Amino acid sequence: MSLLEQLNQDMKQAMKNKEKDKLAVIRMVKAALQNEAIKSSHAELSNEEELTVLSRELKQRKDSLLEFKNADRLDLVEKTQAEIDILVDYMPEQLSEEEVSEIVKQTILDVNATSKADMGKVMGALMPKVKGKADGSLVNKLVLQQLS
């Protein structure tokens, strides 16, 4: 089942259960997917493109959550955390830090990277492998650790 089909099904269920917050998040994701489809002029997005949109929406919420915590806006922190929890349900299972570390080590060996100057080469080869399955900042941190 595609992400869009899953969202439609969950949207109907959220309407029946009168879950306003979940319904709002699902509608927001659907709108983002439709906007991306229009922008890329495809009738339908590939699974990878859907995952990219979903990852972007999740990252925006996480960034907002950090800002709200810094501003001591507990009302917005709770709302944003609830949105994040809903979005995480649609993401593929996340890799553990150890799994990401192993993938980083293998990729560094594959591209023969030896210093921080090779960071771009490593990240370019690595990100398609972990797209949507690991946080980019964690991947970046692990690559820097391995290259230094």
Side-chain angles (χ1 to χ4, degrees):
M1 177 182 314
S2 76
L3 179 62
L4 205 52
E5 291 169 350
Q6 181 69 42
L7 288 169
N8 284 330
Q9 209 172 46
D10 290 351
M11 187 169 78
K12 290 175 190 173
Q13 194 61 44
M15 283 182 199
K16 288 178 185 174
N17 297 344
K18 297 187 182 349
E19 298 172 298
K20 290 181 182 179
D21 295 338
K22 186 172 185 175
L23 185 60
V25 172
I26 291 171
R27 284 181 172 155
M28 173 271 311
V29 171
K30 281 186 63 174
L33 289 169
Q34 289 171 337
N35 287 340
E36 188 68 25
I38 291 169
K39 198 165 67 173
S40 65
S41 67
H42 294 121
E44 286 188 28
L45 296 175
S46 68
N47 286 344
E48 188 174 310
E49 291 169 322
E50 289 177 342
L51 188 59
T52 300
V53 172
L54 202 55
S55 297
R56 183 174 52 226
E57 293 295 325
L58 188 60
K59 183 175 181 344
Q60 287 175 353
R61 298 298 173 300
K62 286 181 178 178
D63 292 345
S64 296
L65 183 66
L66 186 63
E67 293 297 320
F68 294 149
K69 283 181 179 176
N70 291 340
D72 232 8
R73 293 290 310 269
L74 296 179
D75 56 330
L76 295 175
V77 167
E78 290 173 13
K79 181 181 182 295
T80 307
Q81 185 60 53
E83 290 178 1
I84 290 171
D85 293 341
I86 293 167
L87 285 173
V88 166
D89 291 341
Y90 296 102
M91 293 294 290
E93 189 173 327
Q94 298 293 294
L95 297 170
S96 70
E97 190 168 337
E98 293 81 30
E99 291 171 319
V100 175
S101 184
E102 285 302 314
I103 295 170
V104 167
K105 287 177 187 174
Q106 187 58 48
T107 305
I108 288 172
L109 290 174
D110 291 346
V111 298
N112 296 323
T114 55
S115 68
K116 288 184 181 180
D118 298 323
M119 178 87 174
K121 203 171 25 168
V122 173
M123 291 299 284
L126 183 62
M127 287 312 288
K129 295 177 185 177
V130 297
K131 187 173 192 91
K133 298 177 192 167
D135 184 45
S137 60
L138 171 66
V139 174
N140 191 20
K141 181 183 87 171
L142 291 172
V143 169
L144 281 173
Q145 284 176 356
Q146 295 289 329
L147 290 177
S148 53

